[in-house]
Amino acid sequence: MTTADRAEEAAAKPIRGGRPYLVLIALILGLIAGVIAQRTGDGLREPALQATSLIGRLWLNALKMTVIPLVVALLITGVAAGAEAARAGKIAARSVLWIVILCTASAIFGAVAVTLLTGAVPLPEAQAQAMQAGLAGLDQSVASGPMPAAIDFFKGVIPGNVISAAANGDVLPLVVFALLFALAVARIDVTRRRSIVELFQGIADALLIIIGWVLLIAPLGVFALAFSVGASAGGAAFAGLGHYILVISAIGVLVTLWAYPIALIWGRIGLATFSKGLIAPQSVAISTRSSLASLPAMLGAAKVLGVREQVADVTLPLAVALFRATGPAMNTAVAFYVAHWLGYEPTMAQMIAATAVGAVMSYGAVSLPGEVSFISSIAPIAMALGVPIAPLALLVAVEMVPDIFRTLGNVTLDVAVTTVVNKSTESVSSED
C-alpha cells in the first residue's frame, strides 16, 4: 500500500460524533429557558440551576477525562505517519515540509489575529460582564498551573517526569515529550515501529469511540450548560456567542486568503486561473464541511491547474489526512477568545506555550468530524494558556458555523500547497 493510500485510508475512518443541528437547537432552547428562569425569580431558578449544573458538570467531566491520553495518542500516531510519509519520496517529503511550515505559521497568526480583533472590536463591556457571570457558573478549574516567569517557562518545557506532567495537566511538556517520542518511533525498526503505532492507534480509536458516546448525549449536556449561562447572563449570551462566531470565522477567512499569494508566488499559478479552478472543491467544502468529500473535486481542480498526476495523487491525499491549514489558527484563536470572554490576562509565557501547543498538535492532526476535533484539539491549547476548558463544551454547539470556514480554508490551501509541490519538484522523476 502506498503512502497516499495509507493517508487516504486514515482520513476515511468514520468517527461517529454529535448531531450538530440538534446540539445547536439544544443550545438555543437552553439559553431561552435560562433567560425565562432568570425572570421568574429564585423559587424556580435555583432548583433548576442545581439540576442543570449537575448534568452539565457530569457531561463536561466525561469530555475532559479523554483529553490528556487522546492528545498523546493522536500526536504519536500523526507525527509517525507524517515522518513515514516524508521518507516515501521527494514529493511526499516536500509536501510534509510545507504542511509543517504552514501549520506553524497558522498557529502564530491565530494568536496574533484574535488578540488584534478582540482589541479592535471587543465584546461590549456590559455584555462581557454578563457573559463572565454566566460562564462563572461553569467549572472554572484549570488543569495547568501558572507560569509567571519566562525562565520558569523554558525550564518547564522539558518534563522532568512525564507521568507527573500528565497527572498535573502540564500540556506543553507533555506535548514536547510526545513529539520527541513520535520522532524516535519513526526511526526504529519497521516491525517494532508499526507495533507501537498500532498500539497508540488502538488507544486513540477507543478514546474517540468514548467521545462519540459522550457526544451522542451532547444535546442534553449543552442544554444544561446553556441553561446555566442563560440564567446568569440573560440575553447577553446570544450576543456573546454571535461575537464569538464572527471573530473566529473571520480568522478562518483570513487564513483561506493565504492560498492565493501562495499559489501565485510559489506555485506560479495566475490568480484568475487558481480562483476559477477552486470553484468546484470550494462548493463541495461549503456544502459538506468535509475535506475528504472534497478530495475528488480537488483532484479535478489540480488537473485543471496543470498539476502533474503523480504530484496530485500523493500530495492531496496526504493533505486531506494530515493538513489542517485553518486548524492551528482557529483553534488557538478559540482558546485566546475564551480568555477574552472570561477577562483573563495570560502571561507572555502562557501565550507562547499555547501557541506552541496549537502548532505542534496540528502536526499530528487526523481527519475527524468538527465537533470531535473541537474538543480534542482546543482543550490542550486552553490548558496551556491557563484558561478553563468548560466553555468549550458550550462553544461546540455553534462549531458548525466556523467549521464551514475551516473546511473551506483547508480545501483551498490543500490545492495551493499541491501547486507549490508540483512547481518545486518539476525535476523529480516519475519513479519518486
Side-chain angles (χ1 to χ4, degrees), residues 57-328:
R57 181 69 58 86
L58 290 173
W59 183 71
L60 178 62
N61 287 342
L63 284 175
K64 289 169 62 177
M65 69 180 180
T66 63
V67 171
I68 293 297
L70 186 59
V71 165
V72 175
L74 289 180
L75 193 57
I76 290 174
T77 56
V79 171
E84 183 176 356
R87 290 197 302 270
K90 291 182 179 180
I91 292 175
R94 194 65 58 88
S95 302
V96 171
L97 176 62
W98 272 95
I99 288 172
V100 171
I101 291 172
L102 288 176
C103 283
T104 303
S106 177
I108 296 171
F109 177 81
V112 173
V114 73
T115 301
L116 294 176
L117 283 174
T118 53
V121 190
L123 190 64
E125 184 175 354
Q127 295 176 356
Q129 292 177 351
M131 284 301 295
Q132 289 170 19
L135 292 171
L138 303 181
D139 181 8
Q140 297 292 298
S141 60
V142 181
S144 60
M147 294 177 283
I151 189 170
D152 293 331
F153 163 73
F154 288 109
K155 285 180 179 178
V157 167
I158 305 299
N161 185 329
V162 68
I163 304 299
S164 176
N168 295 332
D170 296 329
V171 176
L172 182 59
L174 186 64
V175 166
V176 169
F177 171 80
L179 177 62
L180 293 174
F181 184 80
L183 293 174
V185 166
R187 299 180 65 87
I188 66 176
D189 175 76
V190 61
T191 302
R192 294 187 177 93
R193 179 175 71 246
R194 288 176 178 172
S195 297
I196 293 175
V197 172
E198 285 294 323
L199 170 63
F200 281 98
Q201 184 62 64
I203 293 172
D205 289 345
L207 291 170
L208 290 172
I209 290 174
I210 293 174
I211 291 179
W213 290 341
V214 175
L215 289 179
L216 285 176
I217 59 171
L220 177 61
V222 168
F223 177 89
L225 294 174
F227 181 90
S228 299
V229 172
S232 300
F238 289 97
L241 289 172
H243 185 264
Y244 161 82
I245 291 171
L246 289 175
V247 170
I248 302 303
S249 298
I251 291 173
V253 171
L254 291 174
V255 175
T256 301
L257 294 177
W258 289 9
Y260 296 86
I262 288 173
L264 175 66
I265 298 171
W266 290 283
R268 304 294 177 86
I269 303 291
L271 291 180
T273 302
F274 184 73
S275 300
K276 184 177 180 180
L278 264 291
I279 292 176
Q282 286 178 337
S283 300
V284 177
I286 292 172
S287 60
T288 64
R289 295 193 296 138
S290 169
S291 297
L292 181 61
S294 306
L295 180 58
M298 284 192 280
L299 290 168
K303 185 175 182 180
V304 170
L305 296 175
V307 175
R308 302 190 312 279
E309 185 175 350
Q310 69 183 101
V311 174
D313 287 348
V314 172
T315 302
L316 281 174
L318 268 177
V320 168
L322 301 176
F323 188 31
R324 302 290 177 272
T326 60

